[in-house]
């Protein structure tokens, strides 16, 4: 029996089509709108943090909205893979850094885990911001994959910001190094999986075909070492605003 995703010739299926007529254009109006949406939501979360904290129902709405933003698009994505017969262990396993951060963010929001917060704050925000600025995306607006990509990455960034500004969690200097250790463990695990499956998760074997920040980091394997240095610098810069906070709180 043909599903509604498989039918052709009307507006809904084109939203889920396997073959897009056009390609995604970085920094097009739709891309800039998604970046602006992220900035606006982050600013609203920050400037209204005191009011949100004092209203438990509002806190719950925001928390569960973030959970839905992480879960629903992914469920639909897996259904889309199945319907379009796109399942392929070389490409569709959740082994990208943002996919792993997405899973950790879901568990963090459900359990309020301080341990996972430390990792998601640095790896999640750092990885998802890079994806927002240089998307490895084939499908343009208004395709489902366009909305999936940006909704999920925005939620990955907002989830640890919610835990920071609303739940008052704070990263530590130790968590910078803990995140670096976590990323290097991922490098070994995902790198081994890449070798086994002849895949390229986390771009550990070669760079993405589209433009990305990796284009500035040199050839393989040198860009992997440069990524480590950049990650450590970025995480350190992300932690610096909390140094003054910790001094004031002591």
């Amino acid at each position: 029996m043909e599903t509604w995703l498989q039918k052709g010739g009307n507006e809904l299926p084109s939203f889920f089509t396997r073959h897009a007529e056009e390609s995604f254009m970085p920094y097009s109006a739709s891309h800039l709108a998604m970046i602006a949406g992220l900035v606006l939501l982050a600013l609203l979360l920050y400037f209204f943090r005191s009011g949100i904290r004092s209203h438990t129902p509002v806190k719950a709405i925001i928390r569960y909205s973030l959970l839905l933003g992480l879960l629903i698009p992914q469920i639909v994505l897996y259904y889309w893979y199945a319907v379009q017969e796109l399942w392929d262990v070389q490409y569709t396993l959740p082994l990208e850094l943002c996919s792993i951060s997405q899973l950790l963010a879901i568990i963090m929001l459900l359990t309020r885990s301080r341990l996972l917060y430390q990792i998601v704050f640095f790896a999640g925000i750092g990885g998802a911001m890079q994806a927002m600025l240089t998307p490895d995306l084939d499908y343009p607006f208004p395709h489902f994959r366009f909305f999936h990509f940006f909704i999920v990455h925005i939620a990955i960034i907002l989830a640890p910001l919610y835990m920071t500004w609303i739940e008052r969690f704070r990263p530590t200097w130790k968590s910078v190094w803990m995140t670096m250790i976590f990323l290097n463990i991922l490098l070994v695990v995902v790198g081994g999986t890449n070798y086994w499956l002849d895949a390229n998760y986390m771009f550990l074997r070669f760079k993405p075909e589209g433009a990305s920040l990796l284009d500035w980091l040199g050839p393989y394997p040198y860009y992997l070492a440069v990524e480590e240095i950049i990650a450590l610098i970025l995480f350190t810069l992300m932690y610096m605003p909390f140094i003054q906070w910790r001094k004031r709180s002591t």
Side-chain angles (χ1 to χ4, degrees):
M1 183 176 179
E2 190 177 37
T3 68
W4 62 275
L5 276 179
Q6 292 170 309
K7 296 177 182 177
N10 57 55
E11 188 174 342
L12 251 172
S14 66
F15 180 74
F16 291 96
T17 184
R18 177 173 179 167
H19 303 288
E21 295 181 1
E22 299 178 4
S23 299
F24 172 79
M25 295 295 294
Y27 298 97
S28 58
S30 56
H31 182 195
L32 292 174
M34 292 298 104
I35 295 174
L38 166 63
V39 173
L40 177 62
L41 290 173
L43 289 175
L44 289 173
L45 197 62
Y46 178 77
F47 285 113
F48 290 97
R49 62 192 185 280
S50 297
I52 295 170
R53 284 194 212 113
S54 61
H55 291 82
T56 301
V58 176
K59 283 176 60 177
I61 290 171
I62 294 174
R63 181 164 158 255
Y64 285 110
S65 294
L66 290 171
L67 276 168
L68 291 175
L70 292 165
L71 275 169
I72 299 301
Q74 201 68 14
I75 293 170
V76 178
L77 175 67
Y78 290 148
Y79 180 66
W80 183 71
Y81 283 156
V83 168
Q84 299 290 352
E85 299 180 348
L86 290 171
W87 279 106
D88 189 328
V89 293
Q90 290 185 321
Y91 305 104
T92 56
L93 296 179
L95 293 178
E96 301 292 354
L97 177 58
C98 286
S99 298
I100 295 166
S101 297
Q102 177 185 6
L103 175 61
L104 296 181
I106 290 170
I107 300 172
M108 175 194 72
L109 288 170
L110 287 172
T111 65
R112 291 187 172 91
S113 168
R114 292 184 180 273
L115 174 62
L116 293 183
Y117 164 79
Q118 308 295 324
I119 295 172
V120 176
F121 182 86
F122 292 109
I125 293 178
M129 277 302 302
Q130 189 271 337
M132 289 286 296
L133 295 174
T134 58
D136 181 32
L137 181 63
D138 295 324
Y139 295 90
F141 174 88
H143 194 275
F144 153 71
R145 286 289 284 118
F146 174 92
F147 288 106
H148 166 272
F149 183 93
F150 286 107
I151 290 172
V152 166
H153 284 91
I154 288 172
I156 290 172
I157 294 169
L158 293 180
L161 293 182
Y162 165 84
M163 299 303 291
T164 302
W165 295 332
I166 310 303
E167 301 285 352
R168 293 181 173 177
F169 284 28
R170 296 292 183 268
T172 66
W173 177 241
K174 288 182 180 179
S175 60
V176 172
W177 295 100
M178 181 174 67
T179 305
M180 292 298 298
I181 292 170
F182 171 77
L183 291 178
N184 278 275
I185 292 173
L186 275 187
L187 188 148
V188 174
V189 174
V190 176
T193 304
N194 283 339
Y195 179 80
W196 181 41
L197 298 176
D198 192 25
N200 188 37
Y201 292 108
M202 291 178 60
F203 306 119
L204 296 181
R205 297 179 66 197
F206 50 85
K207 300 176 185 179
E209 294 181 3
S212 76
L213 295 179
L214 299 183
D215 294 335
W216 298 85
L217 307 185
Y220 176 88
Y222 301 108
Y223 71 82
L224 298 176
V226 178
E227 277 189 300
E228 293 260 357
I229 297 170
I230 292 175
L232 180 57
I233 294 172
L234 175 62
F235 296 164
T236 301
L237 291 174
M238 290 172 65
Y239 176 67
M240 287 181 67
F242 296 94
I243 295 176
Q244 288 296 344
W245 175 84
R246 289 189 178 278
K247 287 181 179 179
R248 291 197 301 268
S249 61
T250 56

